[in-house]
């Protein structure tokens, strides 16, 4: 049975960090917290954390978990629509899928206070999204530079919030959280750019890139080199976000930090949902004594 924190107790915030495919671990974290009787009052997310957080507070969590656990490599490839205008992936297929299978809501109708982070591409400012369409906000927060097209929202061109605030503890505090549990997906083997991304995007994805570039019959050495572009992009972003997260968290520390061990999971390996979810659960179990102590919950 889930135990809600009473009104006399501090408000608990949950900050779900960025991390692309590793973000499926957030599902396991939320499940394990609930099983331990810990339910957040406020949820904030960045990038993939925004997607998971939105599903959680909108009542679509079970459906999202089932979909993630069913994802195969071919399913991931089918959701990637190649573009060379603003990013390698338009993201339309992914957003259309989310919109079709998960009901869009206005922020005012959500079960809990929720907000997500994006970055203004022109000014570099951190943008807090907490009004209007939840799906549109998530779309902006997950727009990884170079991979997904930026999103135009209220006159601003928005991209992934991981550029400015990968683990949005500060946003949780701003929404009224007294205590914050944060999930950092980049601390395991920081700066490590997994070569698995190139393997994940081989085959059908490689062919899409070749066709888009007009290189369907490119020499083998050129074809083999193409996936490294994605590896370079994701690896560089990972290194940058790790450094930014360290800096932000040093000045805005969480009360409890969860760091799932996901260094071997490539940033684009979305088909590895089951093992990421399991690791999210395992991290909560490892940190349960610290969680109970911080929240004043008896063992």
């Amino acid at each position: 049975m889930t135990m809600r924190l009473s009104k006399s107790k501090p408000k608990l915030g949950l900050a779900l960090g960025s991390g692309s495919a590793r973000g499926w671990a957030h599902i396991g974290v939320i499940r394990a917290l609930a099983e331990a009787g810990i339910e957040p009052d406020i949820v904030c997310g960045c990038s993939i954390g925004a997607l998971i957080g939105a599903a959680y507070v909108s009542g679509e969590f079970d459906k999202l978990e089932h979909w993630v656990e069913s994802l195969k490599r071919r399913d991931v490839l089918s959701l990637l629509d190649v573009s060379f205008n603003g990013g390698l992936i338009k993201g339309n297929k992914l957003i259309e899928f989310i919109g079709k299978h998960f009901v869009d809501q206005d922020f005012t109708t959500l079960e809990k206070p929720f907000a997500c982070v994006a970055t203004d591409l022109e000014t570099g400012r951190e943008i807090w999204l907490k009004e209007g369409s939840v799906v549109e906000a998530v779309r902006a927060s997950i727009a990884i530079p170079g991979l997904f097209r930026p999103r135009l929202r209220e006159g601003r061109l928005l991209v992934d919030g991981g550029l400015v605030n990968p683990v949005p503890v500060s946003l949780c505090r701003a929404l009224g959280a007294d205590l914050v549990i944060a999930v950092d997906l980049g601390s395991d083997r920081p700066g490590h750019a997994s070569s698995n991304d190139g393997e994940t995007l081989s085959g059908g994805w490689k062919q899409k890139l070749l066709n888009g570039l007009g290189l369907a019959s490119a020499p083998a050495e050129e074809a083999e080199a193409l996936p490294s572009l994605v590896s370079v992009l994701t690896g560089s972003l990972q290194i940058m976000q790790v450094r930014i997260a360290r800096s932000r968290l040093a000045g805005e520390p969480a009360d409890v930090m969860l760091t799932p061990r996901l260094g071997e999971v490539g940033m684009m390996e979305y088909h590895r949902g089951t093992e990421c979810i399991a690791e999210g659960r395992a991290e909560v179990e490892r940190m349960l004594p610290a969680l109970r102590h911080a929240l004043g919950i008896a063992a």
Side-chain angles (χ1 to χ4, degrees):
M1 179 177 178
T2 298
M3 179 184 70
R4 288 179 176 270
L5 295 179
S6 67
K7 290 185 178 179
S8 62
K9 291 185 178 180
K11 287 187 177 180
L12 177 62
L14 178 63
L16 303 174
S18 61
S20 299
R22 298 172 185 178
W24 298 147
H26 291 317
I27 297 173
V29 166
I30 291 171
R31 289 295 190 200
L33 288 175
E35 290 166 6
I38 301 170
E39 183 176 333
D41 301 291
I42 296 164
V43 180
C44 294
C46 177
S47 196
I48 190 68
L51 173 61
I52 305 299
Y56 174 54
V57 299
S58 64
E60 301 283 340
F61 197 60
D62 291 344
K63 189 185 294 185
L64 177 66
E65 182 177 19
H66 177 73
W67 176 62
V68 168
E69 290 181 329
S70 70
L71 276 177
K72 307 300 181 188
R73 191 188 303 260
R74 63 177 179 275
D75 299 319
V76 176
L77 291 172
S78 71
L79 293 173
L80 303 180
D81 40 0
V82 174
S83 166
F84 296 96
N85 182 16
L88 293 179
I89 305 166
K90 286 186 286 188
N92 291 344
K93 286 186 177 181
L94 178 60
I95 296 304
E96 285 172 6
F97 181 91
I98 292 172
K100 181 178 179 181
H101 291 79
F102 305 99
V103 178
D104 190 14
Q105 296 186 38
D106 189 275
F107 277 84
T108 59
T109 67
L110 298 175
E111 297 175 359
K112 303 172 185 287
F114 171 72
C116 53
V117 182
T119 305
D120 186 322
L121 188 59
E122 182 177 354
T123 66
R125 289 181 55 199
E126 178 178 341
I127 305 298
W128 291 352
L129 303 175
K130 49 186 178 178
E131 297 178 346
S133 164
V134 174
V135 166
E136 284 298 308
V138 169
R139 170 70 174 84
S141 187
I142 66 174
I144 303 172
L147 289 181
F148 289 93
R149 280 183 175 178
R151 192 68 174 175
L152 186 63
R153 182 182 171 96
E154 297 179 354
R156 294 189 179 103
L157 200 58
L158 302 181
V159 293
D160 196 319
L163 296 178
V164 289
N165 195 357
V167 188
V169 173
S170 57
L171 182 51
C172 277
R173 305 269 191 212
L175 264 60
D178 301 299
L179 298 172
V180 177
I181 298 170
V183 186
D184 180 6
L185 302 173
S187 62
D188 188 32
R189 300 180 69 184
H192 175 66
S194 175
S195 61
N196 292 337
D197 288 324
E199 296 171 8
T200 299
L201 297 176
S202 62
W205 170 242
K206 182 193 298 183
Q207 192 59 49
K208 286 184 180 183
L209 276 176
L210 288 170
N211 292 340
L213 288 167
L215 297 173
S217 359
E221 60 271 18
E222 289 185 43
E224 288 302 318
L226 280 172
S228 65
L229 171 61
V230 176
S231 294
V232 169
L233 282 171
T234 57
S236 298
L237 286 168
Q238 182 188 352
I239 293 168
M240 179 186 66
Q241 290 184 10
V242 166
R243 300 298 187 265
I244 294 170
R246 284 179 178 174
S247 177
R248 291 296 299 258
L249 292 170
E252 303 158 347
D255 295 278
V256 180
M257 181 67 69
L258 303 179
T259 56
R261 300 168 184 174
L262 298 164
E264 294 298 332
V265 177
M267 301 293 281
M268 299 297 287
E269 292 190 302
Y270 290 99
H271 59 287
R272 296 176 67 179
T274 299
E275 60 187 284
C276 289
I277 292 171
E279 174 53 27
R281 280 181 170 277
E283 175 61 11
V284 171
E285 291 169 3
R286 288 190 290 266
M287 293 296 293
L288 203 51
L291 284 162
R292 286 174 171 155
H293 176 76
L295 303 178
I297 299 174

